[in-house]
mmCIF file of all heavy atoms in Angstrom:
data_model
loop_
_atom_site.group_PDB
_atom_site.id
_atom_site.type_symbol
_atom_site.label_atom_id
_atom_site.label_comp_id
_atom_site.label_asym_id
_atom_site.label_seq_id
_atom_site.Cartn_x
_atom_site.Cartn_y
_atom_site.Cartn_z
ATOM 1 N N LEU A 1 9.347 4.308 -11.268
ATOM 2 C CA LEU A 1 8.407 3.561 -10.483
ATOM 3 C C LEU A 1 7.471 2.683 -11.393
ATOM 4 O O LEU A 1 7.096 3.209 -12.506
ATOM 5 C CB LEU A 1 7.359 4.483 -9.612
ATOM 6 C CG LEU A 1 8.015 5.475 -8.711
ATOM 7 C CD1 LEU A 1 6.868 6.026 -7.816
ATOM 8 C CD2 LEU A 1 9.083 4.732 -7.796
ATOM 9 N N VAL A 2 7.356 1.416 -11.054
ATOM 10 C CA VAL A 2 6.465 0.536 -11.928
ATOM 11 C C VAL A 2 5.380 -0.040 -10.949
ATOM 12 O O VAL A 2 5.743 -0.480 -9.827
ATOM 13 C CB VAL A 2 7.298 -0.560 -12.544
ATOM 14 C CG1 VAL A 2 8.038 -1.341 -11.655
ATOM 15 C CG2 VAL A 2 6.374 -1.445 -13.434
ATOM 16 N N ILE A 3 4.183 0.044 -11.340
ATOM 17 C CA ILE A 3 3.013 -0.403 -10.466
ATOM 18 C C ILE A 3 2.068 -1.117 -11.285
ATOM 19 O O ILE A 3 1.662 -0.782 -12.371
ATOM 20 C CB ILE A 3 2.364 0.840 -9.848
ATOM 21 C CG1 ILE A 3 3.377 1.757 -8.985
ATOM 22 C CG2 ILE A 3 1.166 0.452 -8.954
ATOM 23 C CD1 ILE A 3 2.889 3.080 -8.620
ATOM 24 N N ALA A 4 1.658 -2.261 -10.817
ATOM 25 C CA ALA A 4 0.627 -3.091 -11.442
ATOM 26 C C ALA A 4 -0.542 -3.161 -10.431
ATOM 27 O O ALA A 4 -0.383 -3.470 -9.237
ATOM 28 C CB ALA A 4 1.189 -4.522 -11.695
ATOM 29 N N GLY A 5 -1.750 -3.058 -10.918
ATOM 30 C CA GLY A 5 -2.872 -2.986 -10.015
ATOM 31 C C GLY A 5 -4.276 -3.269 -10.633
ATOM 32 O O GLY A 5 -4.372 -3.205 -11.877
ATOM 33 N N THR A 6 -5.117 -3.578 -9.721
ATOM 34 C CA THR A 6 -6.604 -3.796 -10.197
ATOM 35 C C THR A 6 -7.421 -2.578 -10.231
ATOM 36 O O THR A 6 -8.540 -2.643 -10.740
ATOM 37 C CB THR A 6 -7.224 -4.855 -9.156
ATOM 38 O OG1 THR A 6 -7.289 -4.264 -7.897
ATOM 39 C CG2 THR A 6 -6.470 -6.159 -9.103
ATOM 40 N N ASN A 7 -6.938 -1.425 -9.668
ATOM 41 C CA ASN A 7 -7.624 -0.149 -9.842
ATOM 42 C C ASN A 7 -6.783 1.041 -9.553
ATOM 43 O O ASN A 7 -5.700 0.970 -8.953
ATOM 44 C CB ASN A 7 -8.795 -0.218 -8.610
ATOM 45 C CG ASN A 7 -8.202 -0.274 -7.261
ATOM 46 O OD1 ASN A 7 -7.901 0.799 -6.604
ATOM 47 N ND2 ASN A 7 -7.917 -1.413 -6.725
ATOM 48 N N ASP A 8 -7.179 2.142 -10.038
ATOM 49 C CA ASP A 8 -6.395 3.409 -10.012
ATOM 50 C C ASP A 8 -6.184 3.918 -8.609
ATOM 51 O O ASP A 8 -5.106 4.468 -8.336
ATOM 52 C CB ASP A 8 -7.022 4.481 -10.894
ATOM 53 C CG ASP A 8 -7.166 4.084 -12.347
ATOM 54 O OD1 ASP A 8 -6.564 3.113 -12.644
ATOM 55 O OD2 ASP A 8 -7.869 4.759 -13.090
ATOM 56 N N ARG A 9 -7.123 3.774 -7.754
ATOM 57 C CA ARG A 9 -6.990 4.265 -6.362
ATOM 58 C C ARG A 9 -5.783 3.610 -5.662
ATOM 59 O O ARG A 9 -4.960 4.278 -5.007
ATOM 60 C CB ARG A 9 -8.176 4.094 -5.585
ATOM 61 C CG ARG A 9 -8.156 4.480 -4.116
ATOM 62 C CD ARG A 9 -9.309 3.981 -3.296
ATOM 63 N NE ARG A 9 -9.105 4.278 -1.814
ATOM 64 C CZ ARG A 9 -9.854 3.731 -0.871
ATOM 65 N NH1 ARG A 9 -10.768 2.808 -1.175
ATOM 66 N NH2 ARG A 9 -9.649 4.079 0.385
ATOM 67 N N ASP A 10 -5.698 2.399 -5.752
ATOM 68 C CA ASP A 10 -4.679 1.560 -5.101
ATOM 69 C C ASP A 10 -3.271 1.857 -5.773
ATOM 70 O O ASP A 10 -2.257 1.884 -5.109
ATOM 71 C CB ASP A 10 -4.922 0.022 -4.968
ATOM 72 C CG ASP A 10 -5.996 -0.189 -3.997
ATOM 73 O OD1 ASP A 10 -6.271 0.584 -3.156
ATOM 74 O OD2 ASP A 10 -6.533 -1.389 -4.072
ATOM 75 N N MET A 11 -3.306 2.037 -7.053
ATOM 76 C CA MET A 11 -2.064 2.331 -7.827
ATOM 77 C C MET A 11 -1.506 3.669 -7.365
ATOM 78 O O MET A 11 -0.292 3.862 -7.155
ATOM 79 C CB MET A 11 -2.327 2.233 -9.307
ATOM 80 C CG MET A 11 -2.690 0.798 -9.770
ATOM 81 S SD MET A 11 -2.987 0.752 -11.560
ATOM 82 C CE MET A 11 -1.401 1.001 -12.252
ATOM 83 N N PHE A 12 -2.381 4.643 -7.229
ATOM 84 C CA PHE A 12 -1.951 5.982 -6.783
ATOM 85 C C PHE A 12 -1.440 5.938 -5.416
ATOM 86 O O PHE A 12 -0.382 6.541 -5.023
ATOM 87 C CB PHE A 12 -3.147 6.951 -6.861
ATOM 88 C CG PHE A 12 -2.898 8.317 -6.283
ATOM 89 C CD1 PHE A 12 -1.914 9.140 -6.837
ATOM 90 C CD2 PHE A 12 -3.602 8.843 -5.155
ATOM 91 C CE1 PHE A 12 -1.626 10.329 -6.243
ATOM 92 C CE2 PHE A 12 -3.362 10.053 -4.721
ATOM 93 C CZ PHE A 12 -2.357 10.838 -5.168
ATOM 94 N N ALA A 13 -2.095 5.181 -4.519
ATOM 95 C CA ALA A 13 -1.621 4.955 -3.119
ATOM 96 C C ALA A 13 -0.297 4.380 -3.106
ATOM 97 O O ALA A 13 0.510 4.712 -2.241
ATOM 98 C CB ALA A 13 -2.706 4.185 -2.341
ATOM 99 N N ALA A 14 -0.037 3.352 -3.916
ATOM 100 C CA ALA A 14 1.242 2.735 -4.040
ATOM 101 C C ALA A 14 2.366 3.696 -4.453
ATOM 102 O O ALA A 14 3.483 3.756 -3.817
ATOM 103 C CB ALA A 14 1.190 1.544 -4.891
ATOM 104 N N ALA A 15 2.114 4.554 -5.367
ATOM 105 C CA ALA A 15 3.085 5.525 -5.725
ATOM 106 C C ALA A 15 3.466 6.543 -4.738
ATOM 107 O O ALA A 15 4.669 6.856 -4.403
ATOM 108 C CB ALA A 15 2.526 6.298 -7.068
ATOM 109 N N LYS A 16 2.409 6.981 -3.911
ATOM 110 C CA LYS A 16 2.719 7.879 -2.875
ATOM 111 C C LYS A 16 3.443 7.266 -1.737
ATOM 112 O O LYS A 16 4.339 7.884 -1.083
ATOM 113 C CB LYS A 16 1.357 8.465 -2.361
ATOM 114 C CG LYS A 16 0.581 9.346 -3.435
ATOM 115 C CD LYS A 16 1.449 10.464 -3.860
ATOM 116 C CE LYS A 16 1.700 11.594 -2.901
ATOM 117 N NZ LYS A 16 2.441 12.677 -3.490
ATOM 118 N N ALA A 17 3.096 6.037 -1.374
ATOM 119 C CA ALA A 17 3.800 5.269 -0.374
ATOM 120 C C ALA A 17 5.302 5.047 -0.759
ATOM 121 O O ALA A 17 6.219 5.238 0.102
ATOM 122 C CB ALA A 17 3.160 3.907 -0.201
ATOM 123 N N LEU A 18 5.600 4.786 -2.105
ATOM 124 C CA LEU A 18 6.993 4.627 -2.429
ATOM 125 C C LEU A 18 7.700 5.938 -2.452
ATOM 126 O O LEU A 18 8.864 5.979 -1.996
ATOM 127 C CB LEU A 18 6.983 4.086 -3.974
ATOM 128 C CG LEU A 18 6.615 2.599 -4.176
ATOM 129 C CD1 LEU A 18 6.408 2.407 -5.573
ATOM 130 C CD2 LEU A 18 7.585 1.739 -3.533
ATOM 131 N N GLU A 19 7.093 6.981 -2.660
ATOM 132 C CA GLU A 19 7.741 8.335 -2.515
ATOM 133 C C GLU A 19 8.043 8.665 -1.043
ATOM 134 O O GLU A 19 9.125 9.078 -0.756
ATOM 135 C CB GLU A 19 6.760 9.419 -3.038
ATOM 136 C CG GLU A 19 7.318 10.883 -2.985
ATOM 137 C CD GLU A 19 6.335 11.885 -3.492
ATOM 138 O OE1 GLU A 19 5.098 11.727 -3.204
ATOM 139 O OE2 GLU A 19 6.771 12.886 -4.152
ATOM 140 N N ALA A 20 7.185 8.255 -0.199
ATOM 141 C CA ALA A 20 7.323 8.633 1.215
ATOM 142 C C ALA A 20 8.451 7.795 1.891
ATOM 143 O O ALA A 20 9.223 8.380 2.720
ATOM 144 C CB ALA A 20 5.974 8.355 2.015
ATOM 145 N N MET A 21 8.628 6.600 1.480
ATOM 146 C CA MET A 21 9.653 5.716 2.118
ATOM 147 C C MET A 21 10.945 5.675 1.308
ATOM 148 O O MET A 21 11.932 5.016 1.660
ATOM 149 C CB MET A 21 9.085 4.381 2.388
ATOM 150 C CG MET A 21 8.905 3.443 1.169
ATOM 151 S SD MET A 21 8.046 1.935 1.630
ATOM 152 C CE MET A 21 8.118 1.008 0.163
ATOM 153 N N GLY A 22 11.135 6.494 0.324
ATOM 154 C CA GLY A 22 12.421 6.687 -0.444
ATOM 155 C C GLY A 22 12.693 5.482 -1.346
ATOM 156 O O GLY A 22 13.722 5.217 -1.750
ATOM 157 N N GLY A 23 11.602 4.844 -1.755
ATOM 158 C CA GLY A 23 11.700 3.671 -2.651
ATOM 159 C C GLY A 23 11.609 2.349 -1.967
ATOM 160 O O GLY A 23 11.751 2.218 -0.797
ATOM 161 N N GLY A 24 11.394 1.290 -2.843
ATOM 162 C CA GLY A 24 11.325 -0.082 -2.341
ATOM 163 C C GLY A 24 10.116 -0.792 -2.934
ATOM 164 O O GLY A 24 9.820 -0.518 -4.136
ATOM 165 N N PHE A 25 9.480 -1.629 -2.248
ATOM 166 C CA PHE A 25 8.345 -2.434 -2.720
ATOM 167 C C PHE A 25 7.133 -2.130 -1.816
ATOM 168 O O PHE A 25 7.332 -2.044 -0.547
ATOM 169 C CB PHE A 25 8.556 -3.950 -2.723
ATOM 170 C CG PHE A 25 9.734 -4.362 -3.524
ATOM 171 C CD1 PHE A 25 10.783 -5.032 -2.938
ATOM 172 C CD2 PHE A 25 9.821 -3.986 -4.872
ATOM 173 C CE1 PHE A 25 11.864 -5.419 -3.644
ATOM 174 C CE2 PHE A 25 11.011 -4.288 -5.605
ATOM 175 C CZ PHE A 25 12.050 -5.059 -5.036
ATOM 176 N N VAL A 26 5.930 -2.128 -2.318
ATOM 177 C CA VAL A 26 4.817 -1.873 -1.538
ATOM 178 C C VAL A 26 3.540 -2.635 -2.101
ATOM 179 O O VAL A 26 3.452 -2.757 -3.346
ATOM 180 C CB VAL A 26 4.527 -0.347 -1.308
ATOM 181 C CG1 VAL A 26 4.110 0.267 -2.644
ATOM 182 C CG2 VAL A 26 3.445 -0.101 -0.278
ATOM 183 N N PHE A 27 2.725 -3.151 -1.118
ATOM 184 C CA PHE A 27 1.424 -3.747 -1.597
ATOM 185 C C PHE A 27 0.276 -3.038 -0.862
ATOM 186 O O PHE A 27 0.258 -2.948 0.348
ATOM 187 C CB PHE A 27 1.434 -5.240 -1.333
ATOM 188 C CG PHE A 27 0.237 -6.001 -1.938
ATOM 189 C CD1 PHE A 27 0.330 -6.402 -3.268
ATOM 190 C CD2 PHE A 27 -0.933 -6.280 -1.217
ATOM 191 C CE1 PHE A 27 -0.748 -6.995 -3.848
ATOM 192 C CE2 PHE A 27 -1.955 -6.895 -1.828
ATOM 193 C CZ PHE A 27 -1.867 -7.271 -3.116
ATOM 194 N N VAL A 28 -0.699 -2.533 -1.688
ATOM 195 C CA VAL A 28 -1.739 -1.667 -1.225
ATOM 196 C C VAL A 28 -3.100 -2.336 -1.604
ATOM 197 O O VAL A 28 -3.285 -2.813 -2.723
ATOM 198 C CB VAL A 28 -1.698 -0.288 -1.809
ATOM 199 C CG1 VAL A 28 -2.899 0.577 -1.424
ATOM 200 C CG2 VAL A 28 -0.377 0.482 -1.339
ATOM 201 N N VAL A 29 -3.983 -2.347 -0.671
ATOM 202 C CA VAL A 29 -5.347 -2.850 -0.831
ATOM 203 C C VAL A 29 -6.299 -1.786 -0.226
ATOM 204 O O VAL A 29 -6.143 -1.401 0.925
ATOM 205 C CB VAL A 29 -5.640 -4.233 -0.273
ATOM 206 C CG1 VAL A 29 -7.053 -4.639 -0.531
ATOM 207 C CG2 VAL A 29 -4.681 -5.272 -0.953
ATOM 208 N N ASP A 30 -7.313 -1.379 -0.932
ATOM 209 C CA ASP A 30 -8.409 -0.460 -0.471
ATOM 210 C C ASP A 30 -7.588 0.839 0.097
ATOM 211 O O ASP A 30 -8.105 1.379 1.127
ATOM 212 C CB ASP A 30 -9.186 -1.077 0.596
ATOM 213 C CG ASP A 30 -10.062 -2.130 -0.003
ATOM 214 O OD1 ASP A 30 -10.362 -2.140 -1.262
ATOM 215 O OD2 ASP A 30 -10.417 -3.109 0.723
ATOM 216 N N GLY A 31 -6.602 1.292 -0.465
ATOM 217 C CA GLY A 31 -5.785 2.440 -0.169
ATOM 218 C C GLY A 31 -5.026 2.331 1.051
ATOM 219 O O GLY A 31 -4.257 3.354 1.443
ATOM 220 N N GLU A 32 -4.803 1.083 1.585
ATOM 221 C CA GLU A 32 -4.061 0.874 2.831
ATOM 222 C C GLU A 32 -2.809 0.016 2.402
ATOM 223 O O GLU A 32 -2.885 -0.911 1.651
ATOM 224 C CB GLU A 32 -4.876 0.172 3.904
ATOM 225 C CG GLU A 32 -6.070 1.050 4.339
ATOM 226 C CD GLU A 32 -6.807 0.196 5.577
ATOM 227 O OE1 GLU A 32 -6.268 -0.890 5.897
ATOM 228 O OE2 GLU A 32 -7.756 0.763 5.959
ATOM 229 N N ILE A 33 -1.726 0.345 3.101
ATOM 230 C CA ILE A 33 -0.420 -0.377 2.933
ATOM 231 C C ILE A 33 -0.547 -1.618 3.669
ATOM 232 O O ILE A 33 -0.665 -1.732 4.915
ATOM 233 C CB ILE A 33 0.798 0.423 3.312
ATOM 234 C CG1 ILE A 33 0.914 1.602 2.549
ATOM 235 C CG2 ILE A 33 2.002 -0.480 3.293
ATOM 236 C CD1 ILE A 33 2.042 2.635 3.054
ATOM 237 N N ARG A 34 -0.513 -2.821 2.993
ATOM 238 C CA ARG A 34 -0.666 -4.184 3.627
ATOM 239 C C ARG A 34 0.731 -4.789 3.832
ATOM 240 O O ARG A 34 0.837 -5.603 4.712
ATOM 241 C CB ARG A 34 -1.482 -5.132 2.813
ATOM 242 C CG ARG A 34 -2.919 -4.546 2.568
ATOM 243 C CD ARG A 34 -3.653 -4.421 3.836
ATOM 244 N NE ARG A 34 -5.020 -3.766 3.640
ATOM 245 C CZ ARG A 34 -6.105 -4.513 3.462
ATOM 246 N NH1 ARG A 34 -6.091 -5.779 3.497
ATOM 247 N NH2 ARG A 34 -7.301 -3.787 3.367
ATOM 248 N N ALA A 35 1.714 -4.363 3.133
ATOM 249 C CA ALA A 35 3.062 -4.795 3.252
ATOM 250 C C ALA A 35 4.023 -3.835 2.547
ATOM 251 O O ALA A 35 3.685 -3.316 1.494
ATOM 252 C CB ALA A 35 3.332 -6.294 2.685
ATOM 253 N N ALA A 36 5.221 -3.657 3.149
ATOM 254 C CA ALA A 36 6.153 -2.742 2.531
ATOM 255 C C ALA A 36 7.628 -3.216 2.810
ATOM 256 O O ALA A 36 7.879 -3.769 3.847
ATOM 257 C CB ALA A 36 6.059 -1.337 3.033
ATOM 258 N N VAL A 37 8.519 -2.923 1.802
ATOM 259 C CA VAL A 37 9.954 -3.286 1.914
ATOM 260 C C VAL A 37 10.721 -1.957 1.589
ATOM 261 O O VAL A 37 10.914 -1.717 0.300
ATOM 262 C CB VAL A 37 10.316 -4.442 1.005
ATOM 263 C CG1 VAL A 37 11.783 -4.718 1.208
ATOM 264 C CG2 VAL A 37 9.489 -5.702 1.331
ATOM 265 N N PRO A 38 11.017 -1.123 2.522
ATOM 266 C CA PRO A 38 11.759 0.117 2.228
ATOM 267 C C PRO A 38 13.174 -0.144 1.659
ATOM 268 O O PRO A 38 13.838 -1.078 2.226
ATOM 269 C CB PRO A 38 11.941 0.800 3.557
ATOM 270 C CG PRO A 38 10.833 0.215 4.358
ATOM 271 C CD PRO A 38 10.710 -1.265 3.943
ATOM 272 N N LEU A 39 13.645 0.474 0.620
ATOM 273 C CA LEU A 39 14.902 0.374 -0.004
ATOM 274 C C LEU A 39 15.405 1.788 -0.224
ATOM 275 O O LEU A 39 15.530 2.248 -1.257
ATOM 276 C CB LEU A 39 14.828 -0.347 -1.355
ATOM 277 C CG LEU A 39 14.262 -1.788 -1.388
ATOM 278 C CD1 LEU A 39 14.149 -2.299 -2.771
ATOM 279 C CD2 LEU A 39 15.197 -2.728 -0.538
ATOM 280 N N PRO A 40 15.845 2.391 0.863
ATOM 281 C CA PRO A 40 16.080 3.863 0.873
ATOM 282 C C PRO A 40 17.405 4.231 0.118
ATOM 283 O O PRO A 40 17.638 5.407 -0.233
ATOM 284 C CB PRO A 40 16.148 4.363 2.296
ATOM 285 C CG PRO A 40 16.553 3.048 3.017
ATOM 286 C CD PRO A 40 15.831 1.906 2.233
ATOM 287 N N LEU A 41 18.429 3.238 -0.080
ATOM 288 C CA LEU A 41 19.625 3.581 -0.741
ATOM 289 C C LEU A 41 19.470 3.579 -2.193
ATOM 290 O O LEU A 41 19.506 2.538 -2.927
ATOM 291 C CB LEU A 41 20.659 2.506 -0.274
ATOM 292 C CG LEU A 41 20.957 2.343 1.271
ATOM 293 C CD1 LEU A 41 22.050 1.379 1.537
ATOM 294 C CD2 LEU A 41 21.257 3.677 1.805
ATOM 295 N N GLY A 42 19.192 4.681 -2.724
ATOM 296 C CA GLY A 42 18.986 4.874 -4.183
ATOM 297 C C GLY A 42 17.665 4.264 -4.644
ATOM 298 O O GLY A 42 17.358 4.183 -5.898
ATOM 299 N N GLY A 43 16.752 3.933 -3.712
ATOM 300 C CA GLY A 43 15.487 3.309 -4.056
ATOM 301 C C GLY A 43 15.714 1.854 -4.500
ATOM 302 O O GLY A 43 14.843 1.308 -5.118
ATOM 303 N N LEU A 44 16.867 1.333 -4.175
ATOM 304 C CA LEU A 44 17.307 0.004 -4.696
ATOM 305 C C LEU A 44 17.692 -0.932 -3.594
ATOM 306 O O LEU A 44 17.483 -2.180 -3.803
ATOM 307 C CB LEU A 44 18.526 0.120 -5.707
ATOM 308 C CG LEU A 44 18.265 1.047 -6.960
ATOM 309 C CD1 LEU A 44 19.660 1.325 -7.613
ATOM 310 C CD2 LEU A 44 17.294 0.497 -7.964
ATOM 311 N N VAL A 45 18.321 -0.457 -2.593
ATOM 312 C CA VAL A 45 19.064 -1.248 -1.665
ATOM 313 C C VAL A 45 18.661 -1.004 -0.209
ATOM 314 O O VAL A 45 18.369 0.270 0.116
ATOM 315 C CB VAL A 45 20.539 -1.119 -1.818
ATOM 316 C CG1 VAL A 45 21.341 -1.820 -0.651
ATOM 317 C CG2 VAL A 45 20.989 -1.728 -3.166
#
């Protein structure tokens, strides 16, 4: 997992969101998921 962020809280929330959806992309603000792209096939596809 690779995460870039402005604060630790949102970075932690992004990591947990990626774990829950089996991988993909996620954008988190104030601990809330604002956009997500699930990639459940190997966390890639």
Side-chain angles (χ1 to χ4, degrees):
L1 301 190
V2 58
I3 301 169
T6 62
N7 65 87
D8 295 351
R9 177 193 176 196
D10 285 343
M11 294 177 74
F12 174 61
K16 297 303 289 183
L18 290 170
E19 180 183 39
M21 66 187 190
F25 305 122
V26 66
F27 190 79
V28 173
V29 178
D30 294 333
E32 296 182 4
I33 298 173
R34 302 298 174 94
V37 182
L39 301 174
L41 304 183
L44 302 168
V45 167

